[in-house]
Amino acid sequence: MRDPILVLGARGKLGRAVVERLRAAGEPTRCATRDPGCCGHDCLGGGCARFDFDRPETFAPALEGVNHVFVTARPLDAAAAHVMIPFFAACRAGTIEHVVLTTALGVDRNPAAALHQVETYLRESGLGWTILRPAFFMENFSHGDFQAAIAGEGLIRIAAGDGATSFISVEDIAAVAVKVLREPGHMGRAYDLTGGEALDHAQVATVLTAALGRPVRYQDLPEEALRAGLEQAGLGGAQVAYLLDLYRAVRAGLCAEVRPTVAQLLGRPPRTLAAFAQANLAAWNDVPAR
């Protein structure tokens, strides 16, 4: 049997999609989560492992007998370098040949970003590496606060102005991740991943209106209203600052770039938001109105 591929964050949106695609391809997969008993996957002999970036003692057991690792950077984590660099050091001390790291579009152009430091360390670590830098996930609209507000009130509330974003589906990111994990020729490469179109949030609302058959509107929030909402939701100061900076970039038009990478790697165009909406109608139709 082949050595399992370790997937960190196997219960998250992207990690779950990567595990499902590896499983479909017959690849033994080790799912790593904080609670491995709740993995929910058939790992094809790779098993489940307890893993927590904040607990370095979990690193070596998760890495035992593994040669390939898929890592998603922790979202909204201003201290990502503090916790992820020790993990990559553990990879160097083990048998890891290839790390596929997912960060975010534009990280390479922002030296102040924690994920820029993470990327730099990985590139200089001596490990085999591939970096994926996706744009905003389409799935952000079908999960969490966006999902509830769209389903219950027909509203998208965010401080995005009229800035466009090249949203990408997690399914396309996962397809790229599995390709670079399973095929040679991708080590030492960094791929910027976007959808095939850039839409502002008013256009997103129009797409969702057409799919749902009922009105969805975009409410552009003042930045201070966004700040207050994030703080009320319990986010810490560093997380709030990260999100405010992120949506300043959206408003400035810095998230609108469209790259051909997904089509080049997969031999097909990336999923459109309209197709995503049609495939995920239940996310907005099966949530009780508030």
Side-chain angles (χ1 to χ4, degrees), residues 97-183:
E97 300 172 1
H98 188 196
V99 174
V100 176
L101 169 67
T102 301
T103 59
L105 190 67
V107 161
D108 55 316
R109 301 189 294 275
N110 184 5
L115 292 182
H116 183 98
Q117 300 170 41
V118 172
E119 286 192 5
T120 300
Y121 181 89
L122 180 59
R123 290 198 308 270
E124 297 174 357
S125 68
L127 291 162
W129 58 268
T130 306
I131 294 172
L132 309 180
R133 301 189 188 110
F136 283 71
F137 295 177
M138 292 179 183
E139 282 74 7
N140 291 344
F141 295 112
S142 58
H143 292 73
D145 291 341
F146 277 129
Q147 175 197 33
I150 292 167
E153 304 170 76
L155 284 177
I156 300 172
R157 294 191 188 94
I158 198 65
D162 60 0
T165 300
S166 51
F167 298 102
I168 184 170
S169 171
V170 161
E171 294 299 327
D172 286 335
I173 305 168
V176 170
V178 170
K179 182 180 181 71
V180 303
L181 281 164
R182 299 185 70 223
E183 295 182 0

Side-chain angles (χ1 to χ4, degrees), residues 19 21 32 40-41 55 57 69 76 85 96 99 112 124 128 151 153 177 192 195 199 243 257 268:
V19 170
R21 284 182 173 271
H41 295 293
R55 295 178 57 196
E57 67 272 18
V69 182
L76 311 183
I85 286 175
I96 303 306
V99 174
E124 297 174 357
E153 304 170 76
D192 290 345
L199 302 173
L243 283 169
E257 58 186 310
R268 60 165 177 79

Side-chain angles (χ1 to χ4, degrees), residues 136-142 156 165-169 172 195-209 211 270-281 284:
F136 283 71
F137 295 177
M138 292 179 183
E139 282 74 7
N140 291 344
F141 295 112
S142 58
I156 300 172
T165 300
S166 51
F167 298 102
I168 184 170
S169 171
D172 286 335
E197 57 188 350
L199 302 173
D200 63 34
H201 283 72
Q203 291 171 312
V204 171
T206 298
V207 170
L208 295 181
T209 294
R271 197 178 205 183
T272 65
L273 185 66
F276 169 82
Q278 287 293 333
N280 288 274
L281 292 176
W284 304 292

Side-chain angles (χ1 to χ4, degrees), residues 3-27:
D3 291 331
I5 295 172
L6 178 66
V7 178
L8 304 190
R11 295 179 66 197
K13 290 192 289 287
L14 180 54
R16 181 173 293 275
V18 169
V19 170
E20 289 173 352
R21 284 182 173 271
L22 287 171
R23 180 178 60 186
E27 292 285 354

